[in-house]
Amino acid sequence: MNAPTSQPAVVTIFGAAGDLTKRKLMPALYNLFLDKQLPSHFLIIGVARRGDEQNFRDYIKEGMTEFSRRGAADPKKWAEFIQHVTYTVGDFTSPKTFTHLAEKIHKFEETNGQSSRIFYLSTPPAVFGLIADGLGAAGLASDKVNDRIVIEKPFGRDLESSEALNNELLKSFDEKQIYRIDHYLGKETVQNILAFRFANALYEPVWNRRYVDHVQITVSEDVGVEKRGGYYETSGALRDMVQNHLLQLLCMVAMEPLVSFDADEVRNKKVDVLKAVRPLGRMNPHDYSVRGQYGPGTKDGLAVPGYRQETGVDPKSTTETFVALKLYVDNWRWQDVPFYLRTGKRLSRKLSQIVIVFRPVPHLMFDANASESFEPNRLIINIQPDEGIILKFQAKEPGAGMRLSTVSMGFDYEGTFTSSSREAYETLLQEVISGDTTLFMRDDQERVAWNIVEPLLEAWASRPSNAFPNYSAGSWGPEAADMLLARDGRSWANPMLIPKS
Ligand code: BG6
């Protein structure tokens, strides 16, 4: 994590009238301002096709009340902050938009000195190339250190389109100027996996195929596709969640120890993991995967629609809203240890959790009656909610004889630290402003991640499911996902809550 930089900064948000600006970007920038993590001289420029400065100010203020972790903005602080915010209406196809932007930035720099210039593309991917070209033509991409472009996912929709997009960006920007966001990498608990693994001597010796039986990664959501039916129809859970967030979590668990905390060192080690993933194309991808789509069901006792009834969704849609996968990482550390991944919308509850299930002890000397169901050790990393880590182990029950039961040792963020966890976007924006690429996806990471999911995209496209919908909203997904593990004599871990300290 970088200390706040003193170099002035200009953050330009393209697509400023959109949802992301209101929900995430502006609350994150405001919170950084409150925490004195922004340079004293900064300017935020919203660019969108419509609206005016006053509308924009009202819009983002509303966003604070609804979405900031600190709730409604304090009027005095807000008045100070809003002085740094300006708005420009502009068409991304017009060179004038970019020359006008360049003038604003130069004017700011005349008074405040050379700034780092962050161009955040919170727009549909179709215009990423157009905006990058416009910036290049206006001379806003030529400073290879200070000009930075931030791209939201989806970064393409397959290997070919992601390469094409990359080539478009590379016409104006160098790779080092491109910050591809995967917001999971900004989450405190995801970063803590590195601290847990590499700042403690205790776990590394058992972090391998000799002691680990298998790993489970669950990212479940209880919401449906909400207002994003149109986008989701072109994406599905494999592109929306697996290609990025779940594979990144896999990397954090499986990567080798780092030599240093250098951006390229971290990313090289992750690429090594992704390259070692056994290609699904070499096997029958259907044997290693399960797809699902939610039908109508209930949430908190209320009826909720199925995916095909959502706004913007084809009533005969074959888009998957659930994916379960079994992957192998073919290297010395992980050979033949299965990594089970699952993610889905409208599941029973919101939960992002990694479970490391250790092998049973080689010989159980206790009486067969000592335990009703002996459970090998498990380490549970809760990414969200109930952020924390639990170790489950066996203990003797008090009383006569030797009876065993499973007990837990837990660390919870909330009970341990007084400061509240920052939002992922706060961390990520601060890192871009500091010019640190560690938490961002490099082009080769994107490519290998697409390589992993591509055989499945092809297999599913060539055989659309005729069983959809195959799970009810509010459930834990299709039965076939349970079968994927049951075939190996395993089952999904029950979601674990962190005991409060
Ligand atoms: C986004 C996906 O990247 O991540 C969404 O596009 C999903 O579909 C979201 O809802 C989940 O993020 P989080 O932080 O709420 O787990």
Side-chain angles (χ1 to χ4, degrees):
M1 193 59 39
N2 286 287
T5 164
S6 56
Q7 183 185 6
V10 181
V11 179
T12 305
I13 304 173
F14 290 93
D19 215 36
L20 186 76
T21 310
K22 178 179 181 180
R23 276 175 184 263
K24 301 283 184 192
L25 303 181
M26 290 312 293
L29 288 164
Y30 180 56
N31 281 323
L32 287 173
F33 168 74
L34 292 182
D35 292 338
K36 304 201 172 8
Q37 299 293 313
L38 288 181
S40 19
H41 301 293
F42 72 93
L43 177 67
I44 299 169
I45 309 176
V47 187
R49 287 166 194 269
R50 55 181 192 281
D52 60 36
E53 186 140 324
Q54 192 51 48
N55 283 343
F56 181 61
R57 289 178 168 205
D58 295 343
Y59 181 68
I60 57 175
K61 191 161 179 216
E62 244 174 61
M64 299 301 146
T65 317
E66 264 180 85
F67 304 113
S68 168
R69 68 182 161 90
R70 290 193 165 107
D74 167 75
K76 221 170 121 215
K77 288 283 171 201
W78 183 255
E80 246 178 80
F81 175 74
I82 205 72
Q83 311 258 326
H84 299 265
V85 179
T86 162
Y87 189 76
T88 293
V89 176
D91 180 345
F92 306 145
T93 56
S94 158
K96 263 202 230 145
T97 304
F98 299 93
T99 44
H100 180 53
L101 179 63
E103 280 162 20
K104 276 199 168 189
I105 295 176
H106 292 144
K107 195 160 162 234
F108 171 85
E109 288 182 344
E110 272 164 30
T111 326
N112 301 293
Q114 173 69 56
S115 64
S116 55
R117 301 138 161 200
I118 321 301
F119 303 105
Y120 201 113
L121 274 48
S122 172
T123 60
V127 294
F128 286 171
L130 200 66
I131 297 175
D133 286 350
L135 290 169
L140 293 173
S142 53
D143 182 332
K144 300 299 171 199
V145 175
N146 290 309
D147 294 340
R148 299 166 203 156
I149 188 163
V150 187
I151 309 283
E152 268 292 332
K153 68 175 250 287
F155 199 81
R157 59 185 321 277
D158 52 22
L159 186 58
E160 197 185 337
S161 54
S162 106
E163 279 175 352
L165 169 57
N166 215 30
N167 291 337
E168 284 201 60
L169 297 178
L170 289 174
K171 281 195 259 160
S172 309
F173 291 88
D174 286 356
E175 171 58 27
K176 284 213 171 337
Q177 295 173 272
I178 305 174
Y179 291 68
R180 299 176 191 80
I181 288 231
D182 180 323
H183 78 277
Y184 262 62
L185 298 180
K187 290 184 191 272
E188 292 279 4
T189 36
V190 173
Q191 292 177 60
N192 187 46
I193 299 173
L194 293 187
F196 181 78
R197 286 194 54 200
F198 303 131
N200 296 297
L202 216 54
Y203 306 101
E204 196 48 28
V206 294
W207 210 262
N208 55 51
R209 64 191 301 275
R210 213 168 147 205
Y211 295 98
V212 174
D213 178 75
H214 71 280
V215 176
Q216 301 185 10
I217 302 179
T218 296
V219 178
S220 62
E221 295 185 85
D222 55 357
V223 291
V225 286
E226 300 178 292
K227 293 181 194 148
R228 298 163 73 222
Y231 150 74
Y232 204 84
E233 277 288 88
T234 64
S235 159
L238 190 59
R239 290 187 175 93
D240 188 48
M241 298 294 287
V242 178
Q243 187 270 347
N244 34 75
H245 308 325
L246 276 91
L247 289 182
Q248 284 305 308
L249 294 181
L250 169 77
C251 286
M252 302 298 267
V253 174
M255 70 203 272
E256 290 301 314
L258 304 168
V259 174
S260 66
F261 207 50
D262 166 77
D264 275 330
E265 167 68 1
V266 176
R267 299 188 299 176
N268 289 343
K269 290 288 194 298
K270 287 187 182 175
V271 170
D272 286 347
V273 174
L274 296 177
K275 279 188 179 157
V277 171
R278 190 175 301 167
L280 287 166
R282 249 202 256 148
M283 310 163 296
N284 178 356
H286 293 285
D287 292 344
Y288 289 80
S289 64
V290 171
R291 54 187 154 163
Q293 187 191 75
Y294 62 88
T298 53
K299 180 176 186 298
D300 304 328
L302 296 175
V304 289
Y307 177 68
R308 290 178 177 181
Q309 288 80 50
E310 303 275 15
T311 316
V313 172
D314 177 353
K316 293 196 177 117
S317 173
T318 53
T319 303
E320 82 285 353
T321 59
F322 177 97
V323 177
L325 282 183
K326 175 162 84 165
L327 296 178
Y328 286 100
V329 177
D330 287 337
N331 61 19
W332 275 51
R333 187 185 285 270
W334 295 116
Q335 193 66 38
D336 295 333
V337 175
F339 286 77
Y340 299 102
L341 278 51
R342 67 174 166 170
T343 184
K345 298 253 183 220
R346 276 273 186 248
L347 295 178
S348 176
R349 54 170 292 195
K350 182 168 177 71
L351 178 79
S352 298
Q353 185 171 78
I354 299 172
V355 184
I356 318 283
V357 182
F358 290 92
R359 287 184 188 277
V361 291
H363 166 65
L364 206 56
M365 59 168 191
F366 302 100
D367 192 275
N369 300 325
S371 169
E372 268 147 35
S373 54
F374 183 83
E375 214 184 62
N377 296 136
R378 283 168 184 227
L379 184 79
I380 299 163
I381 303 175
N382 266 15
I383 308 293
Q384 63 187 24
D386 302 323
E387 290 81 357
I389 297 178
I390 305 175
L391 181 65
K392 293 186 83 185
F393 60 101
Q394 296 297 308
K396 178 189 174 303
E397 285 177 15
M402 177 60 84
R403 291 224 13 116
L404 301 175
S405 64
T406 305
V407 294
S408 312
M409 222 157 43
F411 145 69
D412 80 295
Y413 264 82
E414 212 183 283
T416 309
F417 297 117
T418 45
S419 58
S420 68
S421 280
R422 312 202 305 170
E423 284 277 337
Y425 276 91
E426 292 171 40
T427 303
L428 294 171
L429 281 163
Q430 190 179 355
E431 298 295 283
V432 185
I433 292 171
S434 313
D436 188 331
T437 51
T438 312
L439 298 181
F440 300 85
M441 302 283 289
R442 208 170 52 189
D443 63 338
D444 52 344
Q445 270 178 293
E446 281 289 352
R447 253 181 290 132
V448 255
W450 278 119
N451 250 331
I452 292 172
V453 298
E454 194 124 286
L456 210 49
L457 288 173
E458 280 164 16
W460 286 355
S462 67
R463 233 168 73 187
S465 170
N466 49 22
F468 283 176
N470 59 353
Y471 72 96
S472 320
S475 71
W476 274 106
E479 260 179 47
D482 296 331
M483 291 310 298
L484 185 73
L485 273 71
R487 282 204 296 272
D488 299 342
R490 301 186 174 105
S491 57
W492 291 104
N494 288 330
M496 248 324 269
L497 298 177
I498 304 283
K500 298 287 168 203
S501 45

